[in-house]
Amino acid sequence: MSAAAPATSSPARLAAVARRERRDIRLDRLFRTVLTAAGLLVLALLLGAALSMLWGGRETLATFGLDFFFTADWDVGARRFGALVPIYGTLVSATIALLIAVPVSFGIAVFLTELAPGWLRTPVGTAIELLAGIPSIIYGMWGLFVLAPILGQHVYPKINDTLGQLPLIGLLFHGPPLGIGMLTAGLVLAIMVIPFIASVMREVFLTVPSRLKESAYALGSTTWEVVWDVVLPYTRSAVIGGVFLGLGRALGETMAVTFVIGNAYALSAALLEPGSSIASTIANEFAEAVDPLHRSSLLALGFVLFLLTFVVLALARLMLYRLKRKEGL
Amino acid sequence: MNPIPRSLRLLALSFMFMLAACQPSDQDGGTADAVPEDGIARSITGAGASFVYPVMAKWSSDYRTSSGRQVNYQSVGSGGGIAQIKAGTVDFGSSDAPLSSEDLLASGLAQFPSVIGGVVPVVNIDGITPGALRLTGPVLADVFLGKITRWNDAALVELNPDLALPDQAITVVHRADGSGTTFNFANYLAKVSADWKAGPGEGTAVRWPTGIGGKGNEGVAAYVQQVKGSIGYVEFSYAKQNAMSHVALRNAAGNFVEPTSESFAAAAESADWQNTADFDLVLTDAPGADAWPIAATNFVLVHRSPKDASRGAATRAFFEWIYANGDAEAAALDYVPLPDALVTRIQEYWQATLDN
């Protein structure tokens, strides 16, 4: 920069330019430091949260060791704590949620980007974003007061009589038709994560260049072929990212699940039976956890949830990495 | 010249105006720390059981109107209340389960009852009206143990020959969180059923052999109302306000009683307070002829020698006022005020144990 104006250079002017340069370097360095600090803060927060939960749960882990993760006994009075039921409940309810939410979200996104008339796209798109903003306790109350009675009186008895009679699958679909339990929790979670997954999918489907789609249509492709062979491969990594965003939310959802999961510590394959999740257990018991071992067990549960979420995200990364490598070959 | 920019000065000025505007309403808090002339602090804090929160809120607002003193009560649960009074962060704690005399002595605390309520089993069976279903303690325990699983079980039919009990599965609803309600309920079942005592036992949270868990009284009430054929247990006021079908229970004297203010009071009167140190007594299975078997007392915990004597005096003054003037408010909210004999006993206890 200083070399740009040699004609008018004088000692004073040169000094001014040098001063300016030094100031730029200083500011640049400051800017860099601030940004690095912001980046590191995230890491520090993450590590701090994980470690403080691990530290809080050290008494439990020292008492029960690895048994904590693999036993199904949760007895506050007898001071025996095993996290298997909440872990199982968390994984199963989140899996049910994704099994329902992913296809539905995909449908919503394809409809909005490929099929819907122009005047409908914006209102429906906005409605989805509004749904994402509803507090989870509202979903919980709706689940308990509206969905659960309908399921308990009209849907689950029929499931019991049909699916429940089949071999093997029947084990999943029998149980008391209370309307409250693992399947209801999965259904409510599905409704809660659909807006997240659908809005991500819609955004990324919009980024597909129209010349690609138009070429495919010109070659005689059906809408389904365009979506499956052009749109989806083009946006695959972002779609997977959206699904895992939804999964992360389903794993950690607290209030809505607490309302409808039934909060029982019985390990059962049946999806109609009540169960409990990690987040619901913590929400239910933390306020009255006076016994240090009890409190420690709840913190250890928090750490388990942290680990679960971390593993899920790591799997997502791995999947994306594999996909990228396959595309590269 | 001036180091403070004009805009900042304006901001500071407006803040000062806001503070000045807040001054009148802040007066109570402002003078709370200084010891007033009468030696009674202007503001005290309590924490503990959610069971008494509605009546505590009513009492403290009425008390402020009549005396100008402030009482803040935080509904953090019995466990939290005990922890906070032991740590000395509040002036009084409250718990639905009494502490033992040794425990009280070890932490320098005194304990006395504040108000009486009751735990009520409630059912949701088509055609069964409040009070129609009769149960005994052992049968109730067998239902909650999962031994009696259908409403037309022989044991239930035998107690209720006049009722048309349906061939329907029983769904047990219990608390998912630790609570004083559970403590009193489990304590009663342990007194009347050897199997319950050997199995789930007692405590603010027990290992339930069967059923679904609701968070709080409202959670249990909601589950019972949603699930046909269910039975749960809630504080009396929840049963009454939600018009739920309570059951009639056979008490220790062998009579079937319904949960009413009178039957709770009968339980409190018949309890053996004389021979109990530090009021360490659970009201369940009381001997009175008309006593409701799952009556419950809430207990207040205070320091015997509080660090700040003026706050100790204020706590005592508040409870003096409650015993003298708080009966109507308690009754209006479906609690039962303490019998007069018990209040006299508490005042003697204060004289004997408290420093002020």
Side-chain angles (χ1 to χ4, degrees), chain B residues 289-301:
Chain B
D290 304 315
W292 176 249
I294 330 179
T297 322
N298 174 267
F299 298 90
V300 174
L301 299 163

Side-chain angles (χ1 to χ4, degrees), chain B residues 180-228:
Chain B
T181 315
T182 301
F183 168 81
N184 284 297
F185 187 70
N187 174 278
Y188 170 66
L189 295 184
K191 278 181 183 168
V192 295
S193 159
D195 286 345
W196 184 272
K197 193 168 186 166
E202 289 183 54
T204 54
V206 299
R207 183 168 169 72
W208 299 96
T210 181
I212 55 177
K215 184 167 165 53
N217 277 302
E218 61 280 11
V220 172
Y223 275 173
V224 170
Q225 285 170 319
Q226 296 302 321
V227 180
K228 292 261 183 254

Side-chain angles (χ1 to χ4, degrees), chain B residues 267-299:
Chain B
E269 275 157 16
S270 71
D272 185 19
W273 296 107
Q274 278 105 308
N275 301 313
T276 314
D278 294 313
F279 304 98
D280 175 16
L281 184 145
V282 183
L283 267 189
T284 55
D285 208 26
D290 304 315
W292 176 249
I294 330 179
T297 322
N298 174 267
F299 298 90

